[in-house]
Structure formats: C-alpha cells, structure tokens
Amino acid sequence: MNPQAVKPAQGTKRAAALRIKGGAEGGLSLRLDVRAVVVGLVLLVLALAAGIALIGSGDYPLAPGEVIATLTGGGDPGARFVVQDLRLPRILVGLLVGAAFGIAGAVFQTVSRNPLGSPDVLGFAQGSSVGALIVIVYFQAGTFAVAAGAVAGGVATGVAIFLLAWKRGIHGYRFVLVGIGASAMLYAMVLYLMTKANIVEATRATTWMTGSLNGRDWDQVGPLAAVCAVLIPLVLLHGRPLRMLEMGDDAAYALGVRVDRVRIVVLLAAVVLVAAATAAAGPISFVALTAPQLARRLTRSPGPNLLPAALMGAVLLVAADWASQRLFGADQLPVGVLTGVLGGGYLLWLLAVERKAGRV
C-alpha cells in the first residue's frame, strides 16, 4: 500500500490529511488538525510535568529525577513510601478529576450551545452536594457512603433536569434555564441540610463542599479511574456527531446523526463523570466552565475539542493544587477555594465578552 498525502482544501491550512490506497475498498482516510494535536501534546506534557513537580514538593522534597526513578521501581524505601503511598494517589485523583470535569464541561457547553453551560451553573455539582450531605447529616456514614451519596445525587439531578428539559428533544436554552432553576433549588436544600447538622457534621460537610485533594488515597483512585476509563473513550467516540450538532439539528439529521440518541448518551456519560469526580474530591468549582473555553482558544478549532478540554482540566486542577499548597505559606488552601476565586474572575470576564457581543 502506498501512502499518499492529500493537499488540504483551501481555508484548512492547519489540517493535514492522509489517504492510504488499498485496492477496491477505497482505503482509509484520516484528517488531523495539526494545531489541535500540538496543543494536546503540550497540555499532556504540562499535566505530567505538574504532577511530577507536585509529587516532589513538600516536607520531604524530591528532585524530578528521583520522582521518575521511584515511579519506575527505583528509589530508597523512604522515597517509595512518600511517592507511592502518600503523594501519587493525590496527584492521580487530581488529574482524573480535572480531566472528568474538563470533558464533561465541553459536552454540556456543546449540547447547550452556551459557554455558560457547565455543571457549576446547571446544578449537577449542587445535586452531588445534596446527596453527600444527606448521607453525612442523617446517617453519619463513612467516606465510601458519602461518595456513593454524591454519585446518587448527581445522577438523580441529571435525570431530573433531562426530563424537565425534554420537549420533543433537548434544546440549549431550555436545558440551561432548567439547570439554573434546579441549581437554585438544590442550593437551598444544601443550606437547609447545613442547619440540621450538628457542629461536627457541619464541619465535615463544609470541608467536603469546599473541594479538596487533601488526604486522597488509593480508595478514591480505583473507582474514579474505572469510570474515566469507560466513559471518557465513550464520549470521545461521539466527538464527530457532537461537532455536527453544532450546525443545528436539521443539518445533523441530514448528515445521518441520530441527534436524540447522541445527546442522551453523551449527557448521561457527562453526568456520571461529574458525579464521580465530585464524589472523589468534592464540588471543585469552575474547572468544567473554564477548561473547554481555554482549550478552544488554544486550538482555534471548531467543535467540542473534547480531548484538549480534558487535558486542560487536568492541567488546571493540578496547577491549582500546587499553587494552593505553595503560595500561601503555612496556610494551605483547599484547591476548591483557589479555583473558585480564579474561576469567578473568569466568569465575570466571560459575561462581559458575551454582553459586548450581544449574546446576553
């Protein structure tokens, strides 16, 4: 078989195409956006570098070379204990949570056709918080039960919003408006549950709701990794239909996309990803809102940019965790506090841009 490069069409200078001719079947054609691929590789390197730097920092500092040697089976027993038992689970949870929030945010923003369509705004994080608080306040259960309650609350919220927004299909503004209304109601439920808690339960609930990677261990890594391993590839496989949905339902139907089926699959996958990530680290705010937008601005590519959004989410969360531990002296902040401050500023800027463009 002879590979033959195909010149991209006019106006697609950043795309590269490769066609392999192979007999009567017509061969295989593959089209890549070179800039998006480069951005994705850079984000992957940044995520790994930030993770290695964070593993090596702390009261027991390790050079990057020592961290890599320990991760590959070398290092002394003390370094292996610090890296593999204490710090690596926290970093893995951070990377997985960031990736889950990033790709889920890209799905919500694509389906709603609104840059404000993220789990933070639409009530999914609040639903997980309600589920976790019910377990904490009324059952005084342990960490696993709290995580299960968060997943159940997030999934139940997603199903309820989906059913309330359904009217001959899911449409963007109706989905966003129902989500905003659900968010307000669920936040009121959070406040009510806090008033029913005693001081110990309220403290535990407040710590969880802030969003933090402190104390994360292998118990959180396993379930979250399993969810991401199944659902992230599932969402990525629907990247092309999601891109067609941005052209409108009629155009997508004409191109053979099963619009309602695609929406149901990707929304359910995104809801479970958000619920699992929230169960592992708490409702860390604004990562799902900012990661897809930043990824799109870097790639300058149309479409949902699912993989760059996931990588951007991982970079943002791990970098924010490093900053929350290192930039405030002895007062280490939960990572959710820092993402909330930075994300709130980004949200104000985004609203100003949308208002200037006449879209809000």
Side-chain angles (χ1 to χ4, degrees), residues 36-50:
V37 171
V38 172
V39 168
L41 291 174
V42 170
L43 290 174
L44 178 61
V45 171
L46 287 176
L48 295 177

Side-chain angles (χ1 to χ4, degrees), residues 97 100-101 104 108 118-137 143-161 179 182-191 193-194 204-206 208-211 224 268-285:
V97 167
F101 278 138
F108 286 123
S118 80
D120 310 287
V121 178
L122 301 181
F124 297 99
Q126 289 84 350
S128 295
S129 297
V130 169
L133 282 176
I134 289 174
V135 173
I136 292 173
V137 173
T143 302
F144 179 80
V146 172
V151 171
V155 172
T157 300
V159 172
I161 292 175
S183 177
M185 295 176 63
L186 290 167
Y187 182 68
M189 291 183 65
V190 168
L191 296 179
L193 290 169
M194 292 293 289
R204 183 184 177 195
T206 301
W208 185 87
M209 288 176 57
T210 302
L224 180 59
L268 287 178
V271 167
V272 176
L273 282 170
V274 170
T278 304
I284 297 175
S285 57

Side-chain angles (χ1 to χ4, degrees), residues 255-272:
L255 293 170
V257 177
R258 298 179 180 178
V259 173
D260 291 335
R261 177 184 176 277
V262 169
R263 282 202 181 102
I264 292 172
V265 170
V266 297
L267 283 175
L268 287 178
V271 167
V272 176

Side-chain angles (χ1 to χ4, degrees), residues 325-338:
Q325 293 185 64
R326 301 289 167 254
L327 300 184
F328 299 94
D331 299 323
Q332 295 186 7
L333 295 178
V335 67
V337 174
L338 187 59

